[in-house]
Amino acid sequence: FAGPGMADGGAKFLGNITTRGQVQSDFGTYWNQITAENECKWASIEGSRGRYNWSGCDACYNWAKKNAGKFKFHALVWGSQYPNWLNGLSTDETKKAITAWFDAVAAHYPDLEMIDVVNEAIKSGGSYHSGYGRNNNIIPALGGDNGNYEFVATAFKMARERWPKAILIYNDYNTFRWQINEGIDLVNKLVKQGAPVDAYGQQAHDLTDMNANDFKSALNKIQNSVKNAKGEPMPLFITEYDIGTDNDNQQKKRYSEQIPAFWESE
């Protein structure tokens, strides 16, 4: 299919990520939205405490600015790819570090349009989707978790203070299949706490062998189950979509089943 032409003049967009840390010269031929695969993650920017390297993230941000594209910041809080120096810090020092990180991003990018605020915090089978709490104090630093993901809610409230107009996104994986209910539960719990969640990000890595009927049923269930504070359906972002097979016929089949459903959904 044609890339940005699908989205010309509309509210929807078709995006991709960087390639080995670079924005390809022909990126705009195919896409009108960009997300850095790794370059905007905390570990990539603040490898040493208090020292920031924005160059890779800037490349994506600047591409969007120069090409009338959209830029999504990925991600503020994640249980993986945070700086190694965070390991072993006390709860108080971890809170200071997270606050300083949010402040630094806000100072450098005050006008962000879309932000993956928290990534991969679903708790399933007794553990989180990523390494919250394994060697760090991210959870207690942000207010703990008494079964309602309070630490995630805190992060969203911190983000709203700094970016009052940005679209604040919760992002996770396996949310079409294995943890569809857990993902819906997490987002709804955040909304009930007054967390300013504007959109629900579906990584969509789990669709390679999902048949068309099950896929459409899952998509409808998510759309009908996740509501914002006004009780309205929450926008869904398909954030890391891939069909993980080298079988061209299967790729074509899944794309033809799934992309129109994504594109035509409200």
Side-chain angles (χ1 to χ4, degrees):
F1 54 89
M6 290 180 66
D8 282 350
K12 300 179 182 181
F13 53 81
L14 192 66
N16 211 326
I17 59 173
T18 49
T19 303
R20 293 183 292 277
Q22 302 295 316
V23 181
Q24 297 296 294
S25 60
D26 62 349
F27 189 91
T29 304
Y30 305 100
W31 319 106
N32 65 346
Q33 185 273 331
I34 190 166
T35 301
E37 182 175 21
N38 291 299
E39 299 91 301
C40 300
K41 292 169 182 172
W42 191 1
S44 299
I45 292 176
E46 196 183 2
S48 299
R49 190 172 186 180
R51 299 179 62 183
Y52 303 94
N53 178 3
W54 304 101
S55 58
C57 197
D58 279 350
C60 296
Y61 175 87
N62 291 335
W63 180 90
K65 287 293 185 183
K66 292 175 182 177
N67 293 279
K70 294 182 178 292
F71 170 74
K72 178 163 69 72
F73 187 92
H74 175 78
L76 286 173
V77 179
W78 188 23
S80 302
Q81 289 186 250
Y82 59 82
N84 288 333
W85 52 262
L86 201 69
N87 289 335
L89 290 187
S90 67
T91 296
D92 184 58
E93 281 299 308
T94 301
K95 179 60 181 294
K96 289 178 182 177
I98 294 171
T99 302
W101 161 239
F102 274 54
D103 287 344
V105 177
H108 198 77
Y109 303 116
D111 61 346
L112 290 178
E113 181 180 1
M114 297 179 285
I115 308 170
D116 287 333
V117 178
V118 177
N119 201 40
E120 301 178 358
I122 287 174
K123 192 171 187 180
S124 177
S127 60
Y128 298 93
H129 267 183
S130 58
Y132 295 101
R134 291 178 188 168
N135 297 299
N136 60 73
N137 282 307
I138 293 174
I139 291 175
L142 292 176
D145 183 4
N146 294 318
N148 290 306
Y149 298 101
E150 287 87 351
F151 72 103
V152 180
T154 298
F156 273 88
K157 292 173 183 178
M158 290 173 63
R160 177 60 78 222
E161 290 173 357
R162 291 159 177 81
W163 294 278
K165 297 180 180 180
I167 297 170
L168 303 183
I169 305 164
Y170 175 76
N171 193 55
D172 218 315
Y173 65 89
N174 285 356
T175 50
F176 274 95
R177 301 183 69 178
W178 299 283
Q179 277 89 51
I180 181 173
N181 294 324
E182 289 87 342
I184 290 168
D185 177 66
L186 184 155
V187 176
N188 286 336
K189 283 179 174 177
L190 297 181
V191 172
K192 288 179 181 178
Q193 294 174 72
V197 185
D198 297 312
Y200 182 16
Q202 317 281 305
Q203 292 183 17
H205 296 306
D206 50 346
L207 301 179
T208 301
D209 57 353
M210 193 173 192
N211 69 55
N213 289 334
D214 288 346
F215 160 72
K216 290 178 181 178
S217 177
L219 180 61
N220 288 335
K221 179 176 180 177
I222 296 165
Q223 289 183 306
N224 292 330
S225 301
V226 178
K227 310 290 185 181
N228 64 21
K230 297 179 181 179
E232 303 164 337
M234 184 178 292
L236 304 182
F237 283 27
I238 308 304
T239 58
E240 300 180 27
Y241 180 61
D242 48 16
I243 300 299
T245 176
D246 57 6
N247 183 318
D248 289 346
N249 288 330
Q250 186 177 359
Q251 280 200 348
K252 181 179 180 181
K253 178 177 174 61
R254 293 297 179 238
Y255 288 149
S256 66
E257 292 168 348
Q258 296 168 5
I259 291 177
F262 290 143
W263 200 254
E264 294 162 9
S265 294
E266 294 300 327

